[in-house]
């Protein structure tokens, strides 16, 4: 969850500006002005992060399967 600082208080934001060249305060100002073209809702970010993690888990599974085959082959050759 993202938060913005407004009048000395942290307020939950419903997303985040993804334009990295803007400073945090400039991104927060865009939020306060109704967002910008780089605004990403929190739900989209959450889904993208979940898809990235699932992809990484698939890669790890494939690597472990390869390691398992190598170890089995080494045991057969002993």
């Amino acid at each position: 969850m993202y938060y913005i600082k407004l009048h000395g208080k942290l307020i939950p934001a419903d997303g985040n500006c993804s334009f990295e060249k803007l400073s945090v305060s400039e991104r927060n100002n865009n939020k306060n002005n109704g967002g910008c073209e780089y605004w990403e809702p929190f739900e989209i970010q959450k889904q993208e992060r979940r898809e990235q993690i699932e992809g990484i888990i698939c890669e790890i599974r494939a690597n472990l399967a390869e390691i398992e085959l190598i170890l089995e082959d080494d045991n057969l050759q002993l």
Side-chain angles (χ1 to χ4, degrees), residues 4 17 19-33 35-36 39:
I4 59 171
C17 177
F19 190 53
E20 296 176 0
K21 292 185 179 181
L22 291 177
S23 69
V24 173
S25 63
E26 288 172 322
R27 283 186 247 165
N28 287 344
N29 286 339
N30 282 339
K31 163 64 175 142
N32 295 336
N33 293 329
C36 69
W39 187 257

Side-chain angles (χ1 to χ4, degrees), residues 1-72:
M1 191 71 168
Y2 292 96
Y3 294 85
I4 59 171
K5 187 174 181 181
L6 185 63
H7 306 294
K9 296 180 182 180
L10 290 177
I11 300 169
D14 58 354
N16 185 42
C17 177
S18 63
F19 190 53
E20 296 176 0
K21 292 185 179 181
L22 291 177
S23 69
V24 173
S25 63
E26 288 172 322
R27 283 186 247 165
N28 287 344
N29 286 339
N30 282 339
K31 163 64 175 142
N32 295 336
N33 293 329
C36 69
E37 62 184 288
Y38 298 101
W39 187 257
E40 292 181 345
F42 181 67
E43 288 304 317
I44 289 175
Q45 295 173 6
K46 190 174 171 181
Q47 180 63 30
E48 288 175 354
R49 185 173 43 233
R50 180 179 202 85
E51 290 170 2
Q52 289 173 346
I53 291 170
E54 288 173 355
I56 291 169
I57 290 171
C58 287
E59 290 177 21
I60 291 171
R61 283 184 182 142
N63 290 338
L64 287 174
E66 290 177 15
I67 291 170
E68 185 178 23
L69 287 173
I70 292 168
L71 292 174
E72 286 176 3

